[in-house]
Amino acid sequence: MAEESVKLLGYWASPFALRVKWALKLKGVHYEYVEENLPNKSPLLLRYNPVYKKIPVLVHNGKPLAESLLIIEYIDEAWKQNPLLPDDPYERANARLWAKFFDEKCVPEVMGAFASKGEEQEKAAKARENLKMLERALEGKPFFGGDKIGFLDIAVGWIGIWGRIVEEIAGVSLIDAETMPLLTAWLNNFLEVPVIKACIPSWHELLEHNKGFHKILTGSST
């Protein structure tokens, strides 16, 4: 039987590439990682994702797949060990629903709070409202996936890191223990799981990178 070829095209500071790394590690899938230079996209990236020209891209036996949530679902179906999505069809649909809610309702507001100049508080307030709603999916469970890390944990987990970055750089709070105790406790637990923690970039490097990115987005010279 021919050996499987698994390649991930990503960028070290991308939360969406981090999602895929977490999924591959949790599933125990060996893969080759290819770091992309986003301002100067490689011929490989343009070949495998000619439509969006974005990372992450998973290439499995020569077949490319883009979009992080779709990639995670594919990984879960292609490698059956350590399932990420629940067995129950209703619970599986709910996990997908909340992941879609997070990407469509939370991510734009978080990014808006980071990138806006003069509207940070307004964007942050909306992000907090949506994150508080997301917290409902955690009630009675240590993880979104139940007793173990699952699909939704992987989809949402990066907010614990980038939320701190937004607070540090833009000066607005997105998550706090008083208003979101379940989400705060979950993040503290999730980000300390060894396989999760091992994939997270250096905090100092991530912070410095995003300080520069924030200046570009806001047109700030300071």
Side-chain angles (χ1 to χ4, degrees):
M1 188 174 183
E3 185 177 345
E4 284 192 305
S5 169
V6 183
K7 186 177 299 192
L8 172 61
L9 281 63
Y11 181 63
W12 72 274
S14 165
F16 305 106
L18 182 60
R19 282 175 166 174
V20 181
K21 290 179 183 178
W22 280 339
L24 289 167
K25 289 293 186 181
L26 286 165
K27 299 288 278 188
V29 178
H30 296 285
Y31 67 97
E32 176 190 352
Y33 177 70
V34 179
E35 176 73 8
E36 281 292 328
N37 177 6
L38 297 185
N40 185 24
K41 294 167 183 173
S42 73
L44 197 64
L45 176 60
L46 299 178
R47 171 188 166 193
Y48 283 132
N49 191 4
V51 177
Y52 295 109
K53 303 178 176 65
K54 293 179 179 179
I55 55 92
V57 177
L58 184 79
V59 186
H60 183 204
N61 293 333
K63 297 176 181 178
L65 189 66
E67 301 298 316
S68 62
L69 292 181
L70 295 178
I71 293 172
I72 296 168
E73 288 204 49
Y74 175 83
I75 290 168
D76 202 34
E77 293 180 12
W79 292 276
K80 301 299 183 184
Q81 69 273 20
N82 307 325
L84 301 174
L85 278 160
D87 291 332
D88 180 77
Y90 178 78
E91 294 299 328
R92 192 160 58 243
N94 256 330
R96 291 183 176 121
L97 174 68
W98 281 115
K100 181 179 173 67
F101 172 83
F102 178 75
D103 272 13
E104 292 183 356
K105 298 295 185 180
C106 299
V107 173
E109 300 299 342
V110 170
M111 297 303 183
F114 179 75
S116 299
K117 194 170 184 179
E119 298 180 1
E120 297 93 337
Q121 295 296 339
E122 180 184 342
K123 297 285 186 181
K126 188 62 179 176
R128 284 193 295 270
E129 179 184 326
N130 290 335
L131 288 168
K132 181 65 180 173
M133 190 173 296
L134 175 69
E135 189 182 43
R136 296 177 187 177
L138 266 174
E139 290 177 358
K141 300 181 291 186
F143 295 104
F144 285 108
D147 292 329
K148 63 183 183 69
I149 292 171
F151 173 79
L152 188 53
D153 298 279
I154 295 169
V156 176
W158 61 266
I159 193 63
I161 307 158
W162 272 262
R164 286 178 57 205
I165 287 173
V166 172
E167 184 171 358
E168 182 81 19
I169 297 174
V172 292
S173 175
L174 297 177
I175 302 170
D176 67 83
E178 185 176 346
T179 60
M180 299 175 217
L182 296 180
L183 199 62
T184 303
W186 165 74
L187 281 170
N188 291 338
N189 188 19
F190 174 78
L191 295 175
E192 287 300 317
V193 173
V195 69
I196 297 299
K197 192 173 183 177
C199 298
I200 299 172
S202 154
W203 168 253
H204 175 73
E205 291 178 0
L206 208 51
L207 184 62
E208 290 306 308
H209 168 78
N210 280 284
K211 282 180 180 177
F213 191 39
H214 182 257
K215 286 180 181 179
I216 293 170
L217 291 174
T218 60
S220 173
S221 59
T222 58

